[in-house]
Amino acid sequence: QQQVKQSPQSLIVQKGGISIINCAYENTAFDYFPWYQQFPGKGPALLIAIRPDVSEKKEGRFTISFNKSAKQFSLHIMDSQPGDSATYFCAPYYNYGQNFVFGPGTRLSVLP
Amino acid sequence: DAGVTQSPTHLIKTRGQHVTLRCSPISGHKSVSWYQQVLGQGPQFIFQYYEKEERGRGNFPDRFSARQFPNYSSELNVNALLLGDSALYLCASSLGADTGELFFGEGSRLTVL
């Protein structure tokens, strides 16, 4: 069974701080590494994603770092805001089987 | 433009009953996927359909079935409901079968009593 693990399970950060969420996977066939953000009562929404041919991608306050040899990728949120309070899921994907394998989620709370 | 729409938003059923959930993808999207999200967990893949054909199936029993219609909308059917089927059922659409980005609806919250 495919295993995708996230850490931490929950995270509390002060406004303006840095939030870091990690994702570890086992299947080396994964070839697309997204992070999804989910607010209560809503479906997940793509936040940022990376392909394995690059080690880092930045979009505004959000950065993905990818370590292929360690089979890990992480999400960094700079200058965290209360509006970032949500649950974050890593969801690595591979073409064979055509599905995303979602991690268990990390609940982020950003205090004002 | 309208996003992914799902119906009903909430429903309550009893054990043994049957349920049908419906999904309309974003206009122009030809692939629909279904996910089950139990409270406090990440979504789990159930099915993917593309051009009315099943492209992938997750580890769910045969009580779960789905289909996609010529207008690319989709139905998820669950027979002989169990208490453990209580969950948020999410529909996601994408442009193609192997496109990286999924666009999710807000889900159908199923409670089985």
Side-chain angles (χ1 to χ4, degrees), chain B residues 50-71:
Chain B
Y50 176 71
E51 292 282 14
K52 303 185 291 296
E53 297 290 328
E54 181 181 304
R55 288 290 300 266
R57 172 187 282 257
N59 188 24
F60 279 80
D62 291 343
R63 299 185 295 107
F64 289 76
S65 63
R67 55 178 175 168
Q68 186 177 33
F69 300 100
N71 66 353

Side-chain angles (χ1 to χ4, degrees), chain A residues 32 36 38 42 95 98 100, chain B residues 37 48 55 98 100 106:
Chain A
Y32 178 71
Y36 279 81
Q38 186 175 30
K42 302 290 187 181
N95 192 26
Q98 290 101 26
F100 291 79
Chain B
Q37 186 175 24
Q48 186 200 21
R55 288 290 300 266
D98 304 323
E106 296 192 350

Side-chain angles (χ1 to χ4, degrees), chain A residues 12-18 78-84 109-112:
Chain A
I12 300 175
V13 175
Q14 292 287 338
K15 178 182 176 181
I18 302 174
M78 310 299 288
D79 188 27
S80 299
Q81 300 296 313
D84 298 329
S109 297
V110 181
L111 303 179

Side-chain angles (χ1 to χ4, degrees), chain B residues 81-99:
Chain B
L81 285 168
L82 303 174
L83 296 178
D85 295 331
S86 295
L88 180 67
Y89 288 86
L90 294 162
C91 173
S93 73
S94 57
L95 279 170
D98 304 323
T99 306

